[in-house]
Amino acid sequence: MTDHDPRQLQRTWMVLVLMVLAGMLLSLKAQDPAAPLVVTLALLTLALLKARLVVLDFLGLRSGPRVLQVGLIAWPFFFALAAAAKALIATVSPFG
């Protein structure tokens, strides 16, 4: 974090705050039974984008080793993919 511009970190922090607020608004829409899968996928996408910003900016890996960047972003991507698969199965399953 020492090699970053403080203004860039403040902008990243503000983007993260806005993403959290957007996630909170989306979670209110999750109460609507017509769009739970779309809302779930949108929330997972926001989570992945937040993880990417944290890894690249706050962990200081924007200029770091590529393998470490990919590994630290692949980890939440794997869990988001598993959660999306679970949500999809719950949506199309006749047993709910």
Side-chain angles (χ1 to χ4, degrees):
M1 199 162 94
T2 58
D3 62 337
H4 293 310
D5 178 21
R7 280 190 252 144
Q8 173 61 33
L9 290 177
Q10 289 174 349
R11 282 190 296 266
T12 301
W13 183 81
M14 287 303 297
V15 169
L16 288 170
V17 168
L18 290 173
M19 286 181 174
V20 168
L21 293 174
M24 291 170 65
L25 290 174
L26 280 173
S27 67
L28 294 175
K29 293 291 184 184
Q31 307 296 331
D32 182 16
L37 183 60
V38 174
V39 171
T40 300
L41 295 178
L43 287 170
L44 289 173
T45 302
L46 278 174
L48 287 174
L49 291 173
K50 288 187 291 187
R52 182 179 183 277
L53 285 175
V54 168
V55 166
L56 295 181
D57 289 335
F58 286 101
L59 293 180
L61 293 177
R62 192 170 292 277
S63 60
R66 182 81 174 137
V67 174
L68 195 53
Q69 288 177 4
V70 171
L72 287 174
I73 293 172
W75 183 253
F77 182 77
F78 169 75
F79 287 106
L81 191 61
K86 183 179 184 291
L88 182 63
I89 289 170
T91 301
V92 298
S93 174
F95 303 110

